[in-house]
Amino acid sequence: MPNALHCAGAPLAPNHVSADMPDQRDAQRFTLLIRAAKLVTRAGEYLCVIRDVSESGISVRIFHPLPVHGAMEVELQNGDRHQVELVWQEEERAGFRFANAADIERMIQSPSRFNKRAIRLNVSVAAEVTTREGMVEQVEITDISQQGAKISCSCRFAIDGRVTISAEGLPETEAKVRWRRDGTCGLIFEDTYQYGDFARIAHMLQPFSDGLRQV
């Protein structure tokens, strides 16, 4: 699969959040081309695409309904984080206001020492890894990206060994063991997930807590 942002998918049912809240869309807006990011919430970490930004907040492309509780943080690919509050969401878009003043110019330029750094989601997901020899091991996925995953396990998989990893919400995925260290392993997927597909997988891996999952 190509390593590109992919926004295809069936539209989701509208999910409106408090129409009485001030609409940040009235502020002067700087249009961004496409900026991949993640939303960090107490329910989990989820992918989005920042489409535009103003002094008051941001508008993003989303791939599933978002939890509507409390403050969140938006993290850019360079690691910068901004505390935001969800103001509205409808179908595949959502708007947030900044909790504190944000450096808009830095957000637009997004300076980074990393070259096209992949967004990694910190998770805690029970999974199953099967080796080519048929050995099945229970592991925990501790972070995951479009290209691979870090797992915690009690076994010692062979470096460069080919395995299959699966979990509830994650289809069987062919991978290679890239590194092994102190009870953890790094896997690189044989095929890279497209951005939109991976965003929906991340949603399935992290069902909203406290009855806040929305379908």
Side-chain angles (χ1 to χ4, degrees):
M1 297 182 187
N3 183 12
L5 296 184
H6 178 69
C7 299
L12 298 171
N15 183 15
H16 297 282
V17 177
S18 187
D20 297 330
M21 303 178 80
D23 193 337
Q24 66 187 33
R25 288 172 286 187
D26 293 336
Q28 182 182 4
R29 196 157 294 280
F30 301 85
T31 300
L32 303 179
L33 297 176
I34 292 180
R35 188 63 50 82
K38 72 176 178 180
L39 294 166
V40 181
T41 80
R42 66 180 177 88
E45 299 187 353
Y46 306 97
L47 294 181
C48 67
V49 178
I50 299 177
R51 302 310 302 263
D52 49 62
V53 60
S54 74
E55 292 183 356
S56 59
I58 57 174
S59 172
V60 306
R61 160 80 156 93
I62 56 177
F63 300 88
H64 51 78
L66 299 174
V68 297
H69 53 75
M72 306 182 188
E73 288 185 317
V74 59
E75 181 176 314
L76 280 64
Q77 284 179 287
N78 65 357
D80 286 358
R81 282 194 178 194
H82 301 273
Q83 189 171 0
V84 294
E85 181 180 352
L86 180 64
V87 177
W88 56 269
Q89 62 174 305
E90 52 188 24
E91 296 184 347
E92 297 184 340
R93 295 185 62 213
F96 298 84
R97 67 162 62 96
F98 292 124
N100 304 293
D103 186 339
I104 303 303
E105 189 65 26
R106 180 177 173 85
M107 288 190 70
I108 293 173
Q109 294 179 359
S110 194
S112 175
R113 62 188 178 90
F114 302 103
N115 183 27
K116 296 183 179 179
R117 180 186 188 185
I119 295 179
R120 305 193 71 85
L121 303 178
N122 296 301
V123 299
S124 178
V125 176
E128 188 173 87
V129 169
T130 304
T131 68
R132 284 291 185 270
E133 296 73 31
M135 180 178 69
V136 179
E137 295 288 347
Q138 303 303 312
V139 304
E140 179 187 11
I141 302 173
T142 57
D143 74 40
I144 188 169
S145 72
Q146 291 172 262
Q147 293 87 12
K150 177 182 177 182
I151 62 172
S152 176
C153 56
S154 58
C155 53
R156 293 176 58 85
F157 295 112
I159 300 297
D160 291 332
R162 284 179 162 78
V163 298
T164 300
I165 184 169
S166 62
E168 185 175 356
L170 176 69
E172 289 191 354
T173 302
E174 302 295 323
K176 180 186 290 186
V177 179
R178 175 57 60 88
W179 56 264
R180 187 181 64 223
R181 184 185 311 118
D182 299 329
T184 60
C185 287
L187 305 181
I188 183 169
F189 298 148
E190 296 287 357
D191 294 307
T192 298
Y193 278 106
Q194 293 186 4
Y195 194 83
D197 294 335
F198 180 60
R200 297 179 185 94
I201 287 172
H203 177 224
M204 296 302 295
L205 289 174
Q206 305 169 101
F208 299 158
S209 60
D210 300 331
L212 292 169
R213 178 163 185 156
Q214 303 170 44
V215 294

